[in-house]
mmCIF file of all heavy atoms in Angstrom:
data_model
loop_
_atom_site.group_PDB
_atom_site.id
_atom_site.type_symbol
_atom_site.label_atom_id
_atom_site.label_comp_id
_atom_site.label_asym_id
_atom_site.label_seq_id
_atom_site.Cartn_x
_atom_site.Cartn_y
_atom_site.Cartn_z
ATOM 1 N N LEU Q 1 0.818 -1.212 0.000
ATOM 2 C CA LEU Q 1 0.000 0.000 0.000
ATOM 3 C C LEU Q 1 0.855 1.267 0.000
ATOM 4 O O LEU Q 1 0.373 2.342 -0.379
ATOM 5 C CB LEU Q 1 -0.931 0.008 1.218
ATOM 6 C CG LEU Q 1 -2.212 -0.840 1.106
ATOM 7 C CD1 LEU Q 1 -2.936 -0.884 2.441
ATOM 8 C CD2 LEU Q 1 -3.133 -0.294 0.017
ATOM 9 N N LYS Q 2 2.095 1.146 0.402
ATOM 10 C CA LYS Q 2 2.993 2.304 0.383
ATOM 11 C C LYS Q 2 3.414 2.671 -1.039
ATOM 12 O O LYS Q 2 3.889 3.784 -1.280
ATOM 13 C CB LYS Q 2 4.238 2.014 1.237
ATOM 14 C CG LYS Q 2 3.940 1.832 2.722
ATOM 15 C CD LYS Q 2 5.202 1.684 3.545
ATOM 16 C CE LYS Q 2 5.912 0.378 3.284
ATOM 17 N NZ LYS Q 2 7.094 0.189 4.165
ATOM 18 N N TYR Q 3 3.244 1.727 -1.982
ATOM 19 C CA TYR Q 3 3.773 1.947 -3.321
ATOM 20 C C TYR Q 3 2.726 1.786 -4.433
ATOM 21 O O TYR Q 3 2.931 2.302 -5.542
ATOM 22 C CB TYR Q 3 4.910 0.955 -3.603
ATOM 23 C CG TYR Q 3 5.975 0.937 -2.534
ATOM 24 C CD1 TYR Q 3 6.035 -0.095 -1.597
ATOM 25 C CD2 TYR Q 3 6.916 1.963 -2.442
ATOM 26 C CE1 TYR Q 3 7.014 -0.113 -0.606
ATOM 27 C CE2 TYR Q 3 7.885 1.951 -1.452
ATOM 28 C CZ TYR Q 3 7.929 0.906 -0.543
ATOM 29 O OH TYR Q 3 8.896 0.891 0.440
ATOM 30 N N ILE Q 4 1.644 1.061 -4.158
ATOM 31 C CA ILE Q 4 0.668 0.705 -5.191
ATOM 32 C C ILE Q 4 -0.727 1.146 -4.758
ATOM 33 O O ILE Q 4 -1.037 1.176 -3.567
ATOM 34 C CB ILE Q 4 0.672 -0.827 -5.438
ATOM 35 C CG1 ILE Q 4 2.074 -1.317 -5.781
ATOM 36 C CG2 ILE Q 4 -0.284 -1.203 -6.572
ATOM 37 C CD1 ILE Q 4 2.172 -2.824 -5.910
ATOM 38 N N ARG Q 5 -1.567 1.483 -5.730
ATOM 39 C CA ARG Q 5 -2.932 1.889 -5.438
ATOM 40 C C ARG Q 5 -3.693 0.801 -4.695
ATOM 41 O O ARG Q 5 -3.483 -0.404 -4.918
ATOM 42 C CB ARG Q 5 -3.669 2.233 -6.735
ATOM 43 C CG ARG Q 5 -3.255 3.556 -7.354
ATOM 44 C CD ARG Q 5 -3.914 3.751 -8.701
ATOM 45 N NE ARG Q 5 -5.376 3.637 -8.621
ATOM 46 C CZ ARG Q 5 -6.174 3.660 -9.687
ATOM 47 N NH1 ARG Q 5 -5.642 3.767 -10.906
ATOM 48 N NH2 ARG Q 5 -7.474 3.570 -9.531
ATOM 49 N N CYS Q 6 -4.610 1.245 -3.849
ATOM 50 C CA CYS Q 6 -5.364 0.330 -2.992
ATOM 51 C C CYS Q 6 -6.113 -0.731 -3.802
ATOM 52 O O CYS Q 6 -6.147 -1.903 -3.411
ATOM 53 C CB CYS Q 6 -6.345 1.146 -2.138
ATOM 54 S SG CYS Q 6 -7.285 0.170 -0.952
ATOM 55 N N THR Q 7 -6.705 -0.347 -4.920
ATOM 56 C CA THR Q 7 -7.475 -1.311 -5.714
ATOM 57 C C THR Q 7 -6.594 -2.428 -6.262
ATOM 58 O O THR Q 7 -7.026 -3.585 -6.336
ATOM 59 C CB THR Q 7 -8.187 -0.594 -6.875
ATOM 60 O OG1 THR Q 7 -7.229 0.212 -7.591
ATOM 61 C CG2 THR Q 7 -9.314 0.296 -6.364
ATOM 62 N N PHE Q 8 -5.358 -2.096 -6.632
ATOM 63 C CA PHE Q 8 -4.435 -3.121 -7.127
ATOM 64 C C PHE Q 8 -4.011 -4.062 -5.995
ATOM 65 O O PHE Q 8 -3.898 -5.275 -6.183
ATOM 66 C CB PHE Q 8 -3.206 -2.469 -7.763
ATOM 67 C CG PHE Q 8 -3.502 -1.719 -9.031
ATOM 68 C CD1 PHE Q 8 -2.815 -0.565 -9.344
ATOM 69 C CD2 PHE Q 8 -4.455 -2.185 -9.929
ATOM 70 C CE1 PHE Q 8 -3.081 0.137 -10.520
ATOM 71 C CE2 PHE Q 8 -4.730 -1.500 -11.103
ATOM 72 C CZ PHE Q 8 -4.053 -0.332 -11.393
ATOM 73 N N VAL Q 9 -3.768 -3.488 -4.823
ATOM 74 C CA VAL Q 9 -3.396 -4.310 -3.667
ATOM 75 C C VAL Q 9 -4.535 -5.251 -3.306
ATOM 76 O O VAL Q 9 -4.323 -6.444 -3.032
ATOM 77 C CB VAL Q 9 -3.015 -3.424 -2.469
ATOM 78 C CG1 VAL Q 9 -2.745 -4.285 -1.231
ATOM 79 C CG2 VAL Q 9 -1.799 -2.570 -2.788
ATOM 80 N N ASP Q 10 -5.760 -4.740 -3.320
ATOM 81 C CA ASP Q 10 -6.920 -5.580 -3.021
ATOM 82 C C ASP Q 10 -7.034 -6.738 -4.005
ATOM 83 O O ASP Q 10 -7.295 -7.883 -3.610
ATOM 84 C CB ASP Q 10 -8.209 -4.746 -3.056
ATOM 85 C CG ASP Q 10 -8.470 -4.025 -1.746
ATOM 86 O OD1 ASP Q 10 -7.902 -4.432 -0.718
ATOM 87 O OD2 ASP Q 10 -9.245 -3.046 -1.746
ATOM 88 N N THR Q 11 -6.836 -6.457 -5.282
ATOM 89 C CA THR Q 11 -6.924 -7.507 -6.307
ATOM 90 C C THR Q 11 -5.890 -8.600 -6.048
ATOM 91 O O THR Q 11 -6.206 -9.801 -6.112
ATOM 92 C CB THR Q 11 -6.711 -6.906 -7.704
ATOM 93 O OG1 THR Q 11 -7.721 -5.932 -7.957
ATOM 94 C CG2 THR Q 11 -6.779 -7.994 -8.769
ATOM 95 N N MET Q 12 -4.678 -8.203 -5.743
ATOM 96 C CA MET Q 12 -3.610 -9.159 -5.482
ATOM 97 C C MET Q 12 -3.904 -9.998 -4.238
ATOM 98 O O MET Q 12 -3.799 -11.235 -4.257
ATOM 99 C CB MET Q 12 -2.284 -8.413 -5.309
ATOM 100 C CG MET Q 12 -1.117 -9.303 -4.899
ATOM 101 S SD MET Q 12 0.386 -8.353 -4.566
ATOM 102 C CE MET Q 12 -0.111 -7.421 -3.105
ATOM 103 N N VAL Q 13 -4.292 -9.318 -3.159
ATOM 104 C CA VAL Q 13 -4.530 -10.012 -1.889
ATOM 105 C C VAL Q 13 -5.728 -10.956 -1.996
ATOM 106 O O VAL Q 13 -5.697 -12.084 -1.475
ATOM 107 C CB VAL Q 13 -4.735 -8.978 -0.757
ATOM 108 C CG1 VAL Q 13 -5.289 -9.647 0.488
ATOM 109 C CG2 VAL Q 13 -3.423 -8.276 -0.426
ATOM 110 N N LEU Q 14 -6.777 -10.535 -2.681
ATOM 111 C CA LEU Q 14 -7.953 -11.394 -2.827
ATOM 112 C C LEU Q 14 -7.643 -12.627 -3.678
ATOM 113 O O LEU Q 14 -8.165 -13.717 -3.419
ATOM 114 C CB LEU Q 14 -9.110 -10.605 -3.445
ATOM 115 C CG LEU Q 14 -9.777 -9.582 -2.520
ATOM 116 C CD1 LEU Q 14 -10.828 -8.786 -3.277
ATOM 117 C CD2 LEU Q 14 -10.400 -10.279 -1.318
ATOM 118 N N MET Q 15 -6.798 -12.466 -4.684
ATOM 119 C CA MET Q 15 -6.402 -13.617 -5.503
ATOM 120 C C MET Q 15 -5.646 -14.632 -4.637
ATOM 121 O O MET Q 15 -5.916 -15.842 -4.694
ATOM 122 C CB MET Q 15 -5.527 -13.156 -6.661
ATOM 123 C CG MET Q 15 -5.042 -14.288 -7.563
ATOM 124 S SD MET Q 15 -3.916 -13.706 -8.853
ATOM 125 C CE MET Q 15 -2.519 -13.152 -7.853
ATOM 126 N N LEU Q 16 -4.729 -14.130 -3.818
ATOM 127 C CA LEU Q 16 -3.974 -15.031 -2.947
ATOM 128 C C LEU Q 16 -4.874 -15.663 -1.884
ATOM 129 O O LEU Q 16 -4.716 -16.838 -1.540
ATOM 130 C CB LEU Q 16 -2.837 -14.252 -2.273
ATOM 131 C CG LEU Q 16 -1.734 -13.747 -3.212
ATOM 132 C CD1 LEU Q 16 -0.773 -12.833 -2.465
ATOM 133 C CD2 LEU Q 16 -0.979 -14.916 -3.829
ATOM 134 N N SER Q 17 -5.840 -14.894 -1.386
ATOM 135 C CA SER Q 17 -6.770 -15.415 -0.390
ATOM 136 C C SER Q 17 -7.622 -16.543 -0.965
ATOM 137 O O SER Q 17 -7.868 -17.557 -0.301
ATOM 138 C CB SER Q 17 -7.667 -14.289 0.133
ATOM 139 O OG SER Q 17 -8.633 -14.783 1.033
ATOM 140 N N LYS Q 18 -8.053 -16.371 -2.211
ATOM 141 C CA LYS Q 18 -8.862 -17.417 -2.846
ATOM 142 C C LYS Q 18 -8.051 -18.682 -3.064
ATOM 143 O O LYS Q 18 -8.549 -19.800 -2.893
ATOM 144 C CB LYS Q 18 -9.411 -16.902 -4.171
ATOM 145 C CG LYS Q 18 -10.445 -17.830 -4.790
ATOM 146 C CD LYS Q 18 -11.137 -17.208 -5.990
ATOM 147 C CE LYS Q 18 -12.211 -18.131 -6.544
ATOM 148 N NZ LYS Q 18 -12.909 -17.534 -7.707
ATOM 149 N N LEU Q 19 -6.781 -18.516 -3.446
ATOM 150 C CA LEU Q 19 -5.912 -19.684 -3.597
ATOM 151 C C LEU Q 19 -5.710 -20.398 -2.264
ATOM 152 O O LEU Q 19 -5.640 -21.627 -2.197
ATOM 153 C CB LEU Q 19 -4.560 -19.256 -4.168
ATOM 154 C CG LEU Q 19 -4.525 -18.835 -5.639
ATOM 155 C CD1 LEU Q 19 -3.160 -18.263 -5.992
ATOM 156 C CD2 LEU Q 19 -4.855 -20.029 -6.537
ATOM 157 N N LEU Q 20 -5.646 -19.613 -1.195
ATOM 158 C CA LEU Q 20 -5.378 -20.167 0.130
ATOM 159 C C LEU Q 20 -6.603 -20.839 0.738
ATOM 160 O O LEU Q 20 -6.502 -21.926 1.316
ATOM 161 C CB LEU Q 20 -4.883 -19.054 1.054
ATOM 162 C CG LEU Q 20 -4.433 -19.447 2.464
ATOM 163 C CD1 LEU Q 20 -3.229 -20.390 2.409
ATOM 164 C CD2 LEU Q 20 -4.079 -18.196 3.264
ATOM 165 N N TYR Q 21 -7.763 -20.193 0.592
ATOM 166 C CA TYR Q 21 -8.955 -20.673 1.296
ATOM 167 C C TYR Q 21 -10.012 -21.305 0.402
ATOM 168 O O TYR Q 21 -10.927 -21.961 0.898
ATOM 169 C CB TYR Q 21 -9.596 -19.510 2.068
ATOM 170 C CG TYR Q 21 -8.731 -18.985 3.194
ATOM 171 C CD1 TYR Q 21 -8.156 -17.722 3.118
ATOM 172 C CD2 TYR Q 21 -8.494 -19.743 4.326
ATOM 173 C CE1 TYR Q 21 -7.365 -17.228 4.145
ATOM 174 C CE2 TYR Q 21 -7.711 -19.270 5.362
ATOM 175 C CZ TYR Q 21 -7.147 -18.015 5.259
ATOM 176 O OH TYR Q 21 -6.363 -17.541 6.284
ATOM 177 N N GLY Q 22 -9.914 -21.090 -0.913
ATOM 178 C CA GLY Q 22 -10.927 -21.641 -1.797
ATOM 179 C C GLY Q 22 -12.250 -20.892 -1.692
ATOM 180 O O GLY Q 22 -12.311 -19.754 -1.233
ATOM 181 N N ASP Q 23 -13.322 -21.547 -2.114
ATOM 182 C CA ASP Q 23 -14.658 -20.942 -2.105
ATOM 183 C C ASP Q 23 -15.274 -21.121 -0.720
ATOM 184 O O ASP Q 23 -15.666 -22.227 -0.335
ATOM 185 C CB ASP Q 23 -15.534 -21.607 -3.170
ATOM 186 C CG ASP Q 23 -16.952 -21.030 -3.192
ATOM 187 O OD1 ASP Q 23 -17.141 -19.929 -2.644
ATOM 188 O OD2 ASP Q 23 -17.847 -21.705 -3.726
ATOM 189 N N ARG Q 24 -15.387 -20.018 0.007
ATOM 190 C CA ARG Q 24 -15.964 -20.089 1.351
ATOM 191 C C ARG Q 24 -17.482 -19.956 1.336
ATOM 192 O O ARG Q 24 -18.129 -20.155 2.352
ATOM 193 C CB ARG Q 24 -15.358 -18.987 2.236
ATOM 194 C CG ARG Q 24 -13.859 -19.114 2.401
ATOM 195 C CD ARG Q 24 -13.324 -18.060 3.349
ATOM 196 N NE ARG Q 24 -13.533 -16.703 2.852
ATOM 197 C CZ ARG Q 24 -12.699 -16.048 2.048
ATOM 198 N NH1 ARG Q 24 -11.591 -16.641 1.633
ATOM 199 N NH2 ARG Q 24 -12.960 -14.814 1.652
ATOM 200 N N GLY Q 25 -18.044 -19.621 0.165
ATOM 201 C CA GLY Q 25 -19.487 -19.450 0.061
ATOM 202 C C GLY Q 25 -20.254 -20.708 0.415
ATOM 203 O O GLY Q 25 -21.329 -20.648 1.026
ATOM 204 N N ARG Q 26 -19.697 -21.865 0.067
ATOM 205 C CA ARG Q 26 -20.423 -23.103 0.344
ATOM 206 C C ARG Q 26 -20.439 -23.449 1.823
ATOM 207 O O ARG Q 26 -21.161 -24.350 2.247
ATOM 208 C CB ARG Q 26 -19.826 -24.265 -0.462
ATOM 209 C CG ARG Q 26 -18.364 -24.556 -0.194
ATOM 210 C CD ARG Q 26 -17.804 -25.453 -1.276
ATOM 211 N NE ARG Q 26 -16.397 -25.752 -1.082
ATOM 212 C CZ ARG Q 26 -15.955 -26.891 -0.559
ATOM 213 N NH1 ARG Q 26 -16.801 -27.837 -0.188
ATOM 214 N NH2 ARG Q 26 -14.656 -27.099 -0.431
ATOM 215 N N PHE Q 27 -19.658 -22.727 2.617
ATOM 216 C CA PHE Q 27 -19.668 -22.920 4.068
ATOM 217 C C PHE Q 27 -20.464 -21.816 4.782
ATOM 218 O O PHE Q 27 -20.487 -21.748 6.003
ATOM 219 C CB PHE Q 27 -18.241 -22.943 4.613
ATOM 220 C CG PHE Q 27 -17.394 -24.034 4.029
ATOM 221 C CD1 PHE Q 27 -16.415 -23.728 3.091
ATOM 222 C CD2 PHE Q 27 -17.579 -25.346 4.400
ATOM 223 C CE1 PHE Q 27 -15.629 -24.725 2.540
ATOM 224 C CE2 PHE Q 27 -16.798 -26.352 3.844
ATOM 225 C CZ PHE Q 27 -15.822 -26.048 2.911
ATOM 226 N N GLY Q 28 -21.105 -20.946 3.991
ATOM 227 C CA GLY Q 28 -21.933 -19.904 4.584
ATOM 228 C C GLY Q 28 -21.232 -18.586 4.820
ATOM 229 O O GLY Q 28 -21.745 -17.721 5.525
ATOM 230 N N ILE Q 29 -20.047 -18.419 4.214
ATOM 231 C CA ILE Q 29 -19.299 -17.168 4.379
ATOM 232 C C ILE Q 29 -19.177 -16.483 3.028
ATOM 233 O O ILE Q 29 -18.503 -16.980 2.121
ATOM 234 C CB ILE Q 29 -17.896 -17.441 4.962
ATOM 235 C CG1 ILE Q 29 -18.011 -18.142 6.324
ATOM 236 C CG2 ILE Q 29 -17.110 -16.141 5.110
ATOM 237 C CD1 ILE Q 29 -16.685 -18.551 6.916
ATOM 238 N N GLN Q 30 -19.847 -15.356 2.881
ATOM 239 C CA GLN Q 30 -19.819 -14.598 1.635
ATOM 240 C C GLN Q 30 -18.763 -13.493 1.713
ATOM 241 O O GLN Q 30 -18.397 -13.049 2.797
ATOM 242 C CB GLN Q 30 -21.191 -13.985 1.352
ATOM 243 C CG GLN Q 30 -22.328 -15.011 1.297
ATOM 244 C CD GLN Q 30 -22.120 -16.074 0.232
ATOM 245 O OE1 GLN Q 30 -21.606 -15.777 -0.851
ATOM 246 N NE2 GLN Q 30 -22.528 -17.305 0.524
ATOM 247 N N ARG Q 31 -18.313 -13.056 0.546
ATOM 248 C CA ARG Q 31 -17.286 -12.023 0.472
ATOM 249 C C ARG Q 31 -17.913 -10.684 0.064
ATOM 250 O O ARG Q 31 -18.762 -10.651 -0.825
ATOM 251 C CB ARG Q 31 -16.223 -12.422 -0.554
ATOM 252 C CG ARG Q 31 -14.924 -11.647 -0.457
ATOM 253 C CD ARG Q 31 -13.935 -12.148 -1.463
ATOM 254 N NE ARG Q 31 -14.279 -11.709 -2.831
ATOM 255 C CZ ARG Q 31 -13.636 -12.086 -3.925
ATOM 256 N NH1 ARG Q 31 -12.627 -12.933 -3.828
ATOM 257 N NH2 ARG Q 31 -14.003 -11.640 -5.105
ATOM 258 N N PRO Q 32 -17.512 -9.570 0.697
ATOM 259 C CA PRO Q 32 -18.031 -8.261 0.301
ATOM 260 C C PRO Q 32 -17.651 -7.916 -1.132
ATOM 261 O O PRO Q 32 -16.703 -8.458 -1.695
ATOM 262 C CB PRO Q 32 -17.344 -7.294 1.288
ATOM 263 C CG PRO Q 32 -16.906 -8.146 2.425
ATOM 264 C CD PRO Q 32 -16.583 -9.481 1.837
ATOM 265 N N LEU Q 33 -18.389 -6.981 -1.717
ATOM 266 C CA LEU Q 33 -18.116 -6.565 -3.086
ATOM 267 C C LEU Q 33 -16.829 -5.753 -3.176
ATOM 268 O O LEU Q 33 -16.079 -5.872 -4.148
ATOM 269 C CB LEU Q 33 -19.297 -5.745 -3.631
ATOM 270 C CG LEU Q 33 -20.623 -6.503 -3.771
ATOM 271 C CD1 LEU Q 33 -21.725 -5.555 -4.234
ATOM 272 C CD2 LEU Q 33 -20.471 -7.675 -4.738
ATOM 273 N N LYS Q 34 -16.564 -4.933 -2.185
ATOM 274 C CA LYS Q 34 -15.353 -4.117 -2.177
ATOM 275 C C LYS Q 34 -14.203 -4.888 -1.535
ATOM 276 O O LYS Q 34 -14.410 -5.760 -0.695
ATOM 277 C CB LYS Q 34 -15.586 -2.808 -1.427
ATOM 278 C CG LYS Q 34 -16.591 -1.896 -2.109
ATOM 279 C CD LYS Q 34 -16.735 -0.571 -1.372
ATOM 280 C CE LYS Q 34 -17.705 0.353 -2.098
ATOM 281 N NZ LYS Q 34 -17.857 1.666 -1.404
ATOM 282 N N GLY Q 35 -12.977 -4.549 -1.938
ATOM 283 C CA GLY Q 35 -11.795 -5.217 -1.414
ATOM 284 C C GLY Q 35 -11.539 -4.901 0.055
ATOM 285 O O GLY Q 35 -12.067 -3.920 0.597
ATOM 286 N N PRO Q 36 -10.708 -5.692 0.715
ATOM 287 C CA PRO Q 36 -10.511 -5.548 2.166
ATOM 288 C C PRO Q 36 -9.890 -4.229 2.597
ATOM 289 O O PRO Q 36 -10.309 -3.637 3.594
ATOM 290 C CB PRO Q 36 -9.596 -6.725 2.516
ATOM 291 C CG PRO Q 36 -8.940 -7.121 1.226
ATOM 292 C CD PRO Q 36 -9.947 -6.834 0.173
ATOM 293 N N PHE Q 37 -8.906 -3.741 1.840
ATOM 294 C CA PHE Q 37 -8.243 -2.501 2.256
ATOM 295 C C PHE Q 37 -9.075 -1.271 1.884
ATOM 296 O O PHE Q 37 -9.095 -0.288 2.628
ATOM 297 C CB PHE Q 37 -6.841 -2.424 1.656
ATOM 298 C CG PHE Q 37 -5.900 -3.444 2.237
ATOM 299 C CD1 PHE Q 37 -5.551 -4.574 1.511
ATOM 300 C CD2 PHE Q 37 -5.395 -3.294 3.518
ATOM 301 C CE1 PHE Q 37 -4.708 -5.532 2.056
ATOM 302 C CE2 PHE Q 37 -4.539 -4.242 4.062
ATOM 303 C CZ PHE Q 37 -4.197 -5.366 3.337
ATOM 304 N N LEU Q 38 -9.784 -1.337 0.755
ATOM 305 C CA LEU Q 38 -10.685 -0.238 0.394
ATOM 306 C C LEU Q 38 -11.840 -0.161 1.394
ATOM 307 O O LEU Q 38 -12.237 0.931 1.815
ATOM 308 C CB LEU Q 38 -11.226 -0.436 -1.016
ATOM 309 C CG LEU Q 38 -12.172 0.662 -1.530
ATOM 310 C CD1 LEU Q 38 -11.450 2.005 -1.567
ATOM 311 C CD2 LEU Q 38 -12.713 0.298 -2.911
ATOM 312 N N LEU Q 39 -12.354 -1.313 1.798
ATOM 313 C CA LEU Q 39 -13.442 -1.353 2.774
ATOM 314 C C LEU Q 39 -12.989 -0.799 4.117
ATOM 315 O O LEU Q 39 -13.725 -0.073 4.786
ATOM 316 C CB LEU Q 39 -13.936 -2.796 2.930
ATOM 317 C CG LEU Q 39 -15.332 -3.001 3.518
ATOM 318 C CD1 LEU Q 39 -16.394 -2.371 2.618
ATOM 319 C CD2 LEU Q 39 -15.610 -4.481 3.702
ATOM 320 N N LYS Q 40 -11.777 -1.137 4.504
ATOM 321 C CA LYS Q 40 -11.216 -0.609 5.751
ATOM 322 C C LYS Q 40 -11.079 0.912 5.669
ATOM 323 O O LYS Q 40 -11.404 1.640 6.621
ATOM 324 C CB LYS Q 40 -9.859 -1.248 6.018
ATOM 325 C CG LYS Q 40 -9.088 -0.666 7.193
ATOM 326 C CD LYS Q 40 -9.761 -0.951 8.517
ATOM 327 C CE LYS Q 40 -8.906 -0.461 9.681
ATOM 328 N NZ LYS Q 40 -9.571 -0.645 10.986
ATOM 329 N N LYS Q 41 -10.631 1.386 4.523
ATOM 330 C CA LYS Q 41 -10.431 2.823 4.336
ATOM 331 C C LYS Q 41 -11.747 3.587 4.362
ATOM 332 O O LYS Q 41 -11.846 4.667 4.956
ATOM 333 C CB LYS Q 41 -9.707 3.060 3.005
ATOM 334 C CG LYS Q 41 -9.441 4.519 2.674
ATOM 335 C CD LYS Q 41 -8.739 4.641 1.330
ATOM 336 C CE LYS Q 41 -8.497 6.102 0.961
ATOM 337 N NZ LYS Q 41 -7.820 6.224 -0.372
ATOM 338 N N GLU Q 42 -12.776 3.019 3.743
ATOM 339 C CA GLU Q 42 -14.046 3.737 3.599
ATOM 340 C C GLU Q 42 -14.970 3.575 4.793
ATOM 341 O O GLU Q 42 -15.739 4.489 5.112
ATOM 342 C CB GLU Q 42 -14.769 3.268 2.327
ATOM 343 C CG GLU Q 42 -14.058 3.665 1.044
ATOM 344 C CD GLU Q 42 -14.850 3.287 -0.198
ATOM 345 O OE1 GLU Q 42 -15.843 2.540 -0.059
ATOM 346 O OE2 GLU Q 42 -14.466 3.716 -1.297
ATOM 347 N N THR Q 43 -14.934 2.421 5.457
ATOM 348 C CA THR Q 43 -15.913 2.141 6.520
ATOM 349 C C THR Q 43 -15.284 1.864 7.879
ATOM 350 O O THR Q 43 -15.987 1.859 8.881
ATOM 351 C CB THR Q 43 -16.794 0.936 6.146
ATOM 352 O OG1 THR Q 43 -16.000 -0.272 6.175
ATOM 353 C CG2 THR Q 43 -17.395 1.108 4.756
ATOM 354 N N GLY Q 44 -13.974 1.595 7.900
ATOM 355 C CA GLY Q 44 -13.334 1.241 9.156
ATOM 356 C C GLY Q 44 -13.446 -0.236 9.491
ATOM 357 O O GLY Q 44 -12.874 -0.693 10.484
#
């Protein structure tokens, strides 16, 4: 985040998260539409 735009960081982190955890929707956990760091920035 010190060097790259937040949206790019979110895209990278979410791709790695999906590789790590797979589809969590089938276990009842849905993912927000906005990325994790953008969501933190906008909503806390």
Side-chain angles (χ1 to χ4, degrees):
L1 280 172
K2 295 186 291 184
Y3 308 103
I4 305 175
R5 286 174 55 186
C6 183
T7 51
F8 293 145
V9 175
D10 276 340
T11 300
M12 174 185 66
V13 167
L14 287 175
M15 179 184 65
L16 293 172
S17 176
K18 190 171 183 179
L19 288 172
L20 185 63
Y21 294 111
D23 179 18
R24 299 184 297 273
R26 59 195 179 100
F27 300 106
I29 301 175
Q30 303 301 323
R31 196 178 74 185
L33 296 176
K34 294 183 178 180
F37 291 104
L38 181 61
L39 200 62
K40 173 67 175 176
K41 180 181 178 181
E42 292 185 349
T43 69

